[in-house]
């Protein structure tokens, strides 16, 4: 491989690649039977398990039972995330408000269905499965991270649930098992670098286990056997796989890409400007507009 392409994936220097990888197909429950057994085994052996899901809140989607439309932020058109305290949060503009009884879309009084998996829902499930275990949930909203890391190393907790906040830069003495809850979700993005970025993140997470005298393990739960990202994680040549995909799709380094942002109070006039007046004069291919 050409050396100039090798910076596409930059694994963390602290990655412990000796941590064993296990792939478990998940069916109905949040954690598979195999995953639950391995968590129990780690705790019984006097070690700890770190369960990872990079989604805060209880459920990432709220659906109106009347019009079946998604609850979105009125400011930036992003889906609002539901939290157990019956607050909904836009993770783009960080606006927080109570969950309304009236739908913004159909204006009717309604109830809501909550879809998708957030870390609060995982916590609720794990506390049901392991009622006697000491469990701690940590997100970017958690204060005093350094003190919590010290508590983890003092074995104050058996199971730690975390978003990305604990994935790098921490040296844990007793974490034996890493659990990736939803290994094949969240990989659909307009960002063509998403696969390599998630790959790097997982390698950093993998490096949190087995850092001292224990053998590290990482379970990746997945739903879709045909997901290409699972093949990437299993591969011994991720660089080659990513470059082949880039070449087939015509993405860099086999092409040049730029991102242009526009803002306007009038959506229609902005679309006219972008699609008809600006891009029509040039020969490059335009994707979007993306909101």
């Amino acid at each position: 491989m050409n050396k100039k392409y090798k910076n596409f994936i930059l694994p963390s220097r602290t990655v412990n690649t000796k941590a064993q990888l296990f792939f478990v197909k998940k069916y109905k429950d949040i954690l598979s039977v195999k995953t639950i057994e391995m968590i129990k085994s780690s705790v019984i052996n006097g070690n700890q398990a770190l369960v990872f899901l990079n989604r805060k809140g209880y459920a990432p989607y709220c659906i109106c039972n009347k019009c079946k439309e998604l609850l979105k932020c009125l400011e930036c058109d992003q889906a609002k995330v539901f939290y157990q305290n019956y607050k909904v949060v836009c993770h783009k503009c960080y606006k927080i408000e109570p969950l309304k009884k009236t739908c913004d879309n159909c204006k009717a009084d309604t109830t809501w269905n909550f879809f998708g998996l957030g870390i609060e829902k995982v916590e609720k499930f794990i506390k049901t499965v392991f009622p006697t275990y000491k469990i701690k949930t940590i997100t970017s909203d958690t204060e005093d991270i350094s003190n919590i890391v010290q508590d983890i190393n003092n074995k104050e907790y058996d199971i730690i649930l975390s978003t990305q906040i604990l994935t790098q830069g921490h040296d844990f003495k007793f974490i034996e098992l890493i659990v990736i809850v939803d290994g094949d979700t969240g990989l659909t993005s307009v960002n063509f670098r998403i696969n390599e970025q998630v790959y790097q993140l997982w390698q950093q997470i993998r490096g949190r286990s087995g850092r001292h005298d224990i053998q590290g393990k990482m379970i990746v739960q997945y739903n879709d056997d045909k997901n290409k990202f699972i093949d990437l994680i299993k591969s011994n040549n991720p660089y080659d796989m990513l470059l082949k995909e880039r070449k087939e799709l015509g993405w860099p380094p086999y092409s040049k890409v730029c991102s242009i942002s526009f803002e306007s109070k009038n959506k229609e006039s902005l679309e006219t400007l972008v699609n008809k007046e600006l891009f029509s004069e040039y020969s490059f291919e335009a994707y979007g507009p993306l909101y």
Side-chain angles (χ1 to χ4, degrees), residues 39-209:
I39 291 175
K40 284 182 179 177
S41 177
S42 293
V43 176
I44 290 171
N45 290 336
N47 296 315
Q48 298 163 311
L50 174 62
V51 179
F52 173 80
L53 179 68
N54 201 26
R55 286 195 294 274
K56 294 194 294 183
Y58 187 86
Y61 305 108
C62 308
I63 305 293
C64 173
N65 276 321
K66 292 289 180 67
C67 66
K68 309 304 179 184
E69 289 294 323
L70 182 66
L71 177 64
K72 293 185 178 182
C73 176
L74 297 178
E75 301 295 328
C76 50
D77 203 38
Q78 295 291 308
K80 289 184 177 180
V81 178
F82 173 72
Y83 282 69
Q84 286 189 107
N85 60 3
Y86 279 83
K87 301 285 186 181
V88 286
V89 181
C90 173
H91 284 176
K92 183 175 182 180
C93 68
Y94 302 104
K95 183 178 181 180
I96 304 172
E97 59 185 5
L99 181 65
K100 298 177 182 178
K101 295 182 180 180
T102 303
C103 175
D104 292 329
N105 182 65
C106 66
K107 311 301 181 184
D109 291 340
T110 188
T111 55
W112 303 91
N113 278 327
F114 306 112
F115 292 94
L117 194 60
I119 198 165
E120 290 182 347
K121 188 184 291 187
V122 178
E123 178 186 40
K124 182 178 179 181
F125 177 85
I126 288 179
K127 285 182 175 179
T128 302
V129 176
F130 303 104
T132 62
Y133 285 12
K134 294 173 289 185
I135 299 166
K136 181 66 176 179
T137 298
I138 303 166
T139 72
S140 58
D141 297 328
T142 306
E143 298 180 356
D144 299 325
I145 294 294
S146 59
N147 290 334
I148 292 174
V149 170
Q150 185 176 351
D151 289 342
I152 293 171
N153 281 331
N154 289 336
K155 301 181 77 171
E156 296 290 332
Y157 310 111
D158 301 312
I159 302 173
I160 301 97
L161 286 79
S162 177
T163 56
Q164 192 171 342
I165 192 70
L166 286 187
T167 58
Q168 52 185 310
H170 298 294
D171 185 23
F172 297 113
K173 297 178 181 178
F174 303 105
I175 289 182
E176 177 184 13
L177 179 66
I178 304 291
V179 178
I180 306 292
V181 176
D182 268 355
D184 52 0
T185 59
L187 293 170
T188 55
S189 171
V190 295
N191 179 5
F192 63 89
R193 297 186 180 93
I194 187 66
N195 279 346
E196 66 196 65
Q197 289 173 348
V198 176
Y199 178 90
Q200 179 181 2
L201 174 64
W202 282 19
Q203 291 293 68
Q204 291 167 344
I205 298 168
R206 188 178 178 185
R208 298 315 103 204
S209 68

